[in-house]
Amino acid sequence: MMDKLSRKDQVLISVMLFSMFFGAGNLIFPTFLGYSAGTHTLLSLAGFVATAVGLPVMVVIAIAIHGTAENLNEKVHPYFALIFPIVIYLCIGPGLAIPRAATIAYEMGMKPFIQTGTAAQPMALGLYTLVFFGLVLWLSLSPSKLIDRLGKVLAPITLTIISVLFIRNLFTPQAPFGAPKKIYQDNSFFQGFLDGYLTMDALGAMAFGVLITNTVRARGMKTERQVSRSMITVGIGAGILLTVVYSILAYLGASSAGYGKAANGAGVLTLLTSNLFGDSGVIILGVLFTLACLSVSIGLVIACSQYFYKLLPSISYRMWTGIFTLASMLIANLGLDQILSISVPILSMIYPILVVLVTIGLMEKIFKNHQPVYYMAVLFTGIYSAAEFLNTSLLKGSLDSMISAVPLSAQGIGWLLPAFAGAAAGYAISSFRKNKVPAEQ
């Protein structure tokens, strides 16, 4: 029996994991960062990579250390281990990420060829999503073939298109990098850090934990040590690939400053491909977005279906794939804007909890005998995040003064201080209990 994955499997599974992370947002964010940061792109990119790559890889490593995501979540509480993953899977699955991916793929892949404002657009969106989710369902029914379909086909095509854009751009005369916009001028690294943080790929990493575990087990890794080591290896491999691609996209964005003005990353890529390839650039960009969104959607449908099949085995895996695919298609056509308005604040609430949980989980050797650290840090973070969620979604800013008093709240990471306070309180409780037991004996 093999003690570790073969080099070929390491590469293929790493590429597969990369393709499940790399959706439309991962194309747009680093490109717009480069376009906006200009001459400060390198420093901003360093901050972006720290969170957009570092956090997802940290999640994969934390799951590997604890054996499963369930084991990590149970460090907080058994009820937390049941509820928290369900919220994550529903939000990043049919509640947000999957329907958003299909809609963005339509916006970039088909909408440019339909006359603006025509009555045909709703029908076109319906037909497009029908085909899109038909492919997602078909390719999700056989998760054992995921490496072949993503690692050997879809991801290489995506990487080839990005490489072609990069090489063509290198040999095309271009204007020098522009001056950074104000938000990147004074604090380049930290703004990039926040941009990467907002990708929220760590949630995807938590969802993909079960899928990656099953994949490496299917490749002959049976013991916990073998599975753990393999997951760490492929997680780092995917992280390296993400870093390389993000660097290329940031460079492409920065070198597009002379092509015109754009309001977002999709606009920058449209300017870039149009200048490099003329009218055919629209087709190239449509294919790129469609493949990226298709890969992410397949990975999420499989991850959601595997998790809920494990949770409720009375419903078959194939039935779960049908449920999630159909729900995602309906949401993509019937109110994505409303779903975004609800799901994004919820994601913003649960993301800090995940980051805190994973960070402590990585320090398991230190906190192994101090379980209160886990639930107190998560509790304090959750209280702050819930208050912020209520303030933005229901209370319409009534708590602004209270929240703004928390350090770093203006930067979007006000949960840091409550997390530290909770961890310290948990450690104090644990130490008090340990000292009290011998005294009573």
Side-chain angles (χ1 to χ4, degrees):
M1 183 177 65
M2 294 186 298
D3 186 50
K4 62 180 181 178
L5 289 172
S6 66
R7 184 62 57 87
K8 179 182 177 181
D9 283 340
Q10 289 177 11
V11 172
L12 286 175
I13 298 175
S14 294
V15 173
M16 180 191 79
L17 182 57
F18 158 82
S19 68
M20 291 190 297
F21 281 131
F22 196 74
N26 305 81
L27 274 167
I28 292 170
F29 278 116
T31 307
F32 196 59
L33 177 146
Y35 179 82
S36 303
T39 54
H40 289 199
T41 293
L42 188 60
L43 193 56
S44 299
L45 178 65
F48 183 87
V49 169
T51 45
V53 177
L55 286 178
V57 172
M58 283 170 58
V59 172
V60 174
I61 293 174
I63 293 173
I65 290 172
H66 291 267
T68 64
E70 184 179 6
N71 291 342
L72 175 60
N73 289 322
E74 283 185 345
K75 290 286 184 177
V76 180
H77 193 279
Y79 287 151
F80 178 87
L82 174 65
I83 297 171
F84 190 60
I86 290 176
V87 174
I88 289 178
Y89 279 105
L90 291 180
C91 282
I92 68 167
L96 175 60
I98 302 175
R100 183 179 65 180
T103 305
I104 293 176
Y106 165 77
E107 293 281 337
M108 302 303 297
M110 177 173 280
K111 191 175 180 180
F113 302 100
I114 301 173
Q115 188 175 351
T116 305
T118 63
Q121 286 207 20
M123 183 179 295
L125 175 61
L127 290 173
Y128 184 89
T129 53
L130 184 64
V131 174
F132 183 91
F133 283 109
L135 284 171
V136 170
L137 178 60
W138 173 53
L139 295 171
S140 299
L141 289 174
S142 303
S144 61
K145 297 180 180 178
L146 196 61
I147 292 178
D148 294 329
R149 288 168 174 171
L150 295 189
K152 293 182 180 180
V153 181
L154 294 182
I157 296 175
T158 301
L159 291 170
T160 299
I161 294 174
I162 293 173
S163 299
V164 169
L165 290 175
F166 177 62
I167 294 170
R168 180 65 177 266
N169 191 68
L170 286 177
F171 292 96
T172 301
Q174 56 195 250
F177 290 6
K181 292 187 177 179
K182 184 172 177 55
I183 58 173
Y184 290 93
Q185 191 170 13
D186 301 326
N187 207 346
S188 305
F189 178 86
F190 194 72
Q191 184 57 46
F193 185 94
L194 288 177
D195 288 343
Y197 168 76
L198 293 173
T199 62
M200 297 192 176
D201 276 347
L203 292 170
M206 179 63 80
F208 296 142
V210 175
L211 197 158
I212 298 301
T213 301
N214 292 341
T215 300
V216 298
R217 287 188 184 280
R219 294 290 175 169
M221 301 298 102
K222 302 300 181 184
T223 68
E224 286 188 11
R225 180 174 176 273
Q226 291 172 340
V227 172
S228 175
R229 187 166 63 177
S230 299
M231 288 183 67
I232 292 173
T233 300
V234 300
I236 293 173
I240 292 172
L241 190 53
L242 282 168
T243 301
V244 171
V245 173
Y246 287 153
S247 300
I248 290 173
L249 290 171
Y251 169 79
L252 291 174
S255 63
S256 300
Y259 294 147
K261 292 185 178 181
N264 52 49
V268 175
L269 285 168
T270 300
L271 285 173
L272 176 71
T273 53
S274 296
N275 276 274
L276 294 180
F277 297 98
D279 293 339
S280 59
V282 178
I283 299 174
I284 294 172
L285 196 59
V287 172
L288 178 60
F289 270 88
T290 299
L291 290 176
C293 292
L294 189 63
S295 298
V296 167
S297 299
I298 293 166
L300 286 171
V301 166
I302 290 176
C304 291
S305 300
Q306 287 185 341
Y307 177 78
F308 279 91
Y309 173 60
K310 182 180 178 182
L311 195 66
L312 295 171
S314 57
I315 301 176
S316 69
Y317 168 80
R318 296 175 70 87
M319 184 64 71
W320 279 119
T321 59
I323 291 170
F324 286 120
T325 303
L326 179 60
S328 299
M329 184 175 71
L330 291 175
I331 291 171
N333 282 274
L334 304 174
L336 180 59
D337 289 341
Q338 290 183 344
I339 293 297
L340 285 172
S341 66
I342 297 172
S343 298
V344 170
I346 293 176
L347 286 172
S348 300
M349 179 176 65
I350 65 177
Y351 198 75
I353 296 173
L354 176 62
V355 173
V356 170
L357 174 62
V358 167
T359 302
I360 298 173
L362 289 171
M363 298 184 284
E364 171 66 4
K365 289 185 178 180
I366 299 174
F367 298 121
K368 186 175 183 180
N369 298 316
H370 298 278
Q371 188 181 8
V373 171
Y374 281 89
Y375 62 73
M376 290 299 289
V378 166
L379 176 63
F380 278 42
T381 305
I383 290 173
Y384 174 85
S385 297
E388 198 171 46
F389 166 73
L390 291 172
N391 184 52
T392 56
S393 60
L394 298 177
L395 301 180
K396 308 301 181 184
S398 300
L399 303 178
D400 279 350
S401 58
M402 183 181 74
I403 290 176
S404 61
V406 179
L408 298 177
S409 59
Q411 287 76 29
I413 51 174
W415 50 268
L416 269 179
L417 183 61
F420 276 115
Y427 194 86
I429 292 171
S430 178
S431 300
F432 176 76
R433 288 176 180 174
K434 289 179 183 297
N435 292 330
K436 185 178 180 181
V437 172
E440 291 179 348
Q441 290 177 344

